[in-house]
Amino acid sequence: YDAFYFMEFDAVPVRDNWLHQFVAEAYDATVAIRGSRYRGDTWDPYLSSLPADVLFHVNGNAIYNLTHPWLISMVQTLDAELLSGT
């Protein structure tokens, strides 16, 4: 496979034909990860104290392009860290 879609177990689609749209967007070879940032309201009381990497993270429901150079590099880096024990 060149790409996969990861859907969090608690995700609930809210639009008709949402999967057809994802399939259409999966063929964009210029994108490493296509997803959406978290848009829920659970964190509203804490927004001012959250760091940017948490506040703007991809929510997990995303298409991952396994052929993109950035994602390949990230996987190689993680593999190297795993093998080195760091």
Side-chain angles (χ1 to χ4, degrees):
Y1 296 100
D2 291 339
F4 71 91
Y5 170 58
F6 181 81
M7 183 174 183
E8 293 180 341
F9 70 93
D10 59 346
V12 178
V14 295
R15 293 186 183 168
D16 291 338
N17 301 313
W18 65 274
L19 191 55
H20 297 290
Q21 182 64 34
F22 263 54
V23 168
E25 293 179 13
Y27 294 103
D28 184 349
T30 65
V31 178
I33 301 171
R34 178 177 293 280
S36 172
R37 72 183 187 110
Y38 176 75
R39 294 186 197 171
D41 58 7
T42 304
W43 296 347
D44 284 357
Y46 315 102
L47 290 179
S48 62
S49 62
L50 291 175
D53 60 334
V54 172
L55 192 57
F56 299 109
H57 79 283
V58 174
N59 69 15
N61 301 293
I63 299 167
Y64 296 82
N65 177 356
L66 301 175
T67 65
H68 193 278
W70 180 85
L71 198 55
I72 291 170
S73 175
M74 184 182 77
V75 169
Q76 290 171 341
T77 299
L78 293 172
D79 282 344
E81 289 178 4
L82 178 65
L83 292 174
S84 70
T86 59

